[in-house]
């Protein structure tokens, strides 16, 4: 299945609402160098919801402290998903960059998020690895340490 990418526009990342949990995906990329490329795919699934999942916003912040860009994801029906192939290029129009992605939705308990980083060499084939997806409520508080 291929999903039509949502449009994006510059935007700021608002503070978390009461009870809201954000998802963070570090290292999303679209990079091309000497016949090889790296790109990231993101899959957003309405896995546990009994109703449609709406209000999903994705914020991409390029590496180097650039301003974030926001994209609104269309409503996802129960047990359905949205697949964003090569998300950095197709959604955010960045053909040579990397950064972090923040996913926000008011109904965070019904959503599953996965992300892959694909490496491609023209003649050598492709390899892929899963990117980590972190939750904003599972982090270290100021002064605490956190081990992965």
């Amino acid at each position: 299945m291929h999903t039509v990418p949502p449009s994006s526009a510059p935007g700021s990342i608002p503070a978390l609402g009461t009870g809201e949990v954000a998802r963070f995906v570090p290292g999303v990329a679209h990079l091309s160098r000497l016949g090889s490329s790296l790109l990231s795919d993101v899959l957003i699934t309405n896995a546990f919801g009994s109703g449609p999942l709406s209000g999903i916003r994705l914020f991409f912040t390029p590496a180097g402290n650039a301003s974030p860009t926001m994209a609104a994801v269309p409503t996802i029906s129960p047990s359905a998903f949205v697949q964003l192939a090569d998300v950095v290029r197709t959604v955010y129009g960045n053909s040579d960059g990397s950064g972090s992605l923040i996913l926000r939705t008011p109904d965070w308990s019904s959503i599953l998020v996965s992300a892959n980083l694909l490496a491609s060499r023209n003649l050598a084939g492709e390899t892929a690895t899963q990117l980590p997806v972190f939750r904003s409520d599972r982090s270290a508080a100021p002064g605490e340490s956190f081990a992965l």
Side-chain angles (χ1 to χ4, degrees):
M1 176 182 172
H2 177 72
T3 303
V4 175
S7 59
S8 62
S12 60
I13 302 171
L16 286 171
T18 303
E20 187 177 17
V21 176
R23 302 291 202 287
F24 299 92
V25 183
V28 294
H30 179 97
L31 300 168
S32 297
R33 303 279 190 276
L34 302 171
S36 63
S37 61
L38 288 173
L39 57 96
S40 301
D41 293 344
V42 175
L43 184 71
I44 305 166
T45 306
N46 183 352
F48 308 110
S50 57
L53 185 60
S54 60
I56 302 169
R57 296 164 294 153
L58 293 172
F59 297 90
F60 173 69
T61 304
N65 296 327
S67 298
T69 304
M70 194 272 294
V73 175
T75 299
I76 304 173
S77 300
S79 302
F81 63 89
V82 170
Q83 179 179 354
L84 301 172
D86 194 6
V87 66
V88 173
R89 184 182 61 81
T90 62
V91 176
Y92 298 101
N94 191 331
S95 60
D96 190 33
S98 64
S100 61
L101 194 64
I102 299 174
L103 183 138
R104 302 277 292 272
T105 178
D107 194 10
W108 61 268
S109 62
S110 296
I111 200 165
L112 287 178
V113 180
S114 65
N116 294 313
L117 182 65
L118 304 147
S120 175
R121 296 253 328 151
N122 289 346
L123 299 174
E126 293 184 347
T127 58
T129 188
Q130 191 114 29
L131 291 171
V133 178
F134 298 107
R135 290 174 49 138
S136 62
D137 64 338
R138 308 257 169 99
S139 63
E144 293 181 341
S145 61
F146 189 78
L148 294 177

